[in-house]
């Protein structure tokens, strides 16, 4: 059974930083692209960032480019999202995802975590 678990969310002031973590079990972590999505009530879900199985390819939404960094440690089965210069509009539930293939741009999401809340105060 695949389990995807996020952690690291919380309340932070605008301009601050947070690092989200995600562990995935029940699968061979290093064989799949991974990513982060976010969603706020009343808004469409947004793909924030994704990273290929060997970290040789990354994608970022325009809204977070230059501020967020996605990375992974396949030896630890862990995905990270370093979020710097946070803005109130970054407030959302953040979800960790496992894709079906090596590269997220050529694939679709297969598994979702339960989410971790990030709240940025102004």
């Amino acid at each position: 059974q695949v389990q995807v678990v996020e952690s690291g969310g919380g309340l932070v002031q605008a301009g601050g930083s947070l690092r989200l973590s995600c562990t995935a079990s029940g699968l061979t972590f290093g064989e799949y692209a991974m990513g982060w999505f976010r969603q706020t009530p009343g808004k469409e879900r947004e793909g924030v960032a994704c990273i290929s199985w060997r970290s040789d390819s990354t994608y970022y939404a325009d809204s977070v480019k230059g501020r967020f960094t996605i990375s992974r440690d396949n030896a630890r089965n862990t995905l990270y999202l370093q979020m710097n210069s946070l803005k109130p509009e970054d407030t959302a539930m953040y979800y960790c995802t496992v894709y079906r293939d090596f590269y997220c741009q050529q694939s679709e999401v297969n598994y979702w975590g339960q989410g971790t809340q990030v709240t940025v105060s102004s």
Side-chain angles (χ1 to χ4, degrees), residues 36-38 45-49 59-61 63 99:
W36 293 94
F37 282 72
R38 66 185 181 185
R45 191 166 51 198
E46 176 188 23
V48 175
Y59 159 85
Y60 294 95
S63 57
Y99 285 80

Side-chain angles (χ1 to χ4, degrees), residues 10-112:
L11 174 64
V12 64
Q13 287 189 331
S17 298
L18 278 176
R19 188 175 80 157
L20 304 183
S21 299
C22 168
T23 59
S25 59
L27 48 74
T28 305
F29 182 87
E31 292 186 354
Y32 300 97
M34 302 283 294
W36 293 94
F37 282 72
R38 66 185 181 185
Q39 188 168 26
T40 54
K43 289 188 176 181
E44 284 192 11
R45 191 166 51 198
E46 176 188 23
V48 175
C50 66
I51 186 167
S52 62
W53 65 313
R54 291 180 176 176
S55 305
D56 57 322
S57 176
T58 57
Y59 159 85
Y60 294 95
D62 288 342
S63 57
V64 305
K65 276 181 184 175
R67 299 187 299 122
F68 290 12
T69 302
I70 189 170
S71 62
R72 64 191 295 165
D73 184 341
N74 288 347
R76 297 176 183 270
N77 286 10
T78 304
L79 175 74
Y80 303 100
L81 185 67
Q82 179 66 45
M83 304 185 295
N84 298 329
S85 303
L86 282 161
K87 305 175 182 180
E89 50 263 44
D90 294 318
T91 295
M93 185 71 78
Y94 283 72
Y95 297 92
C96 176
T97 59
V98 183
Y99 285 80
R100 292 185 180 274
D101 208 335
F102 296 137
Y103 294 93
C104 41
Q105 294 93 329
Q106 304 166 6
S107 184
E108 59 184 16
V109 174
N110 197 19
Y111 299 103
W112 294 81

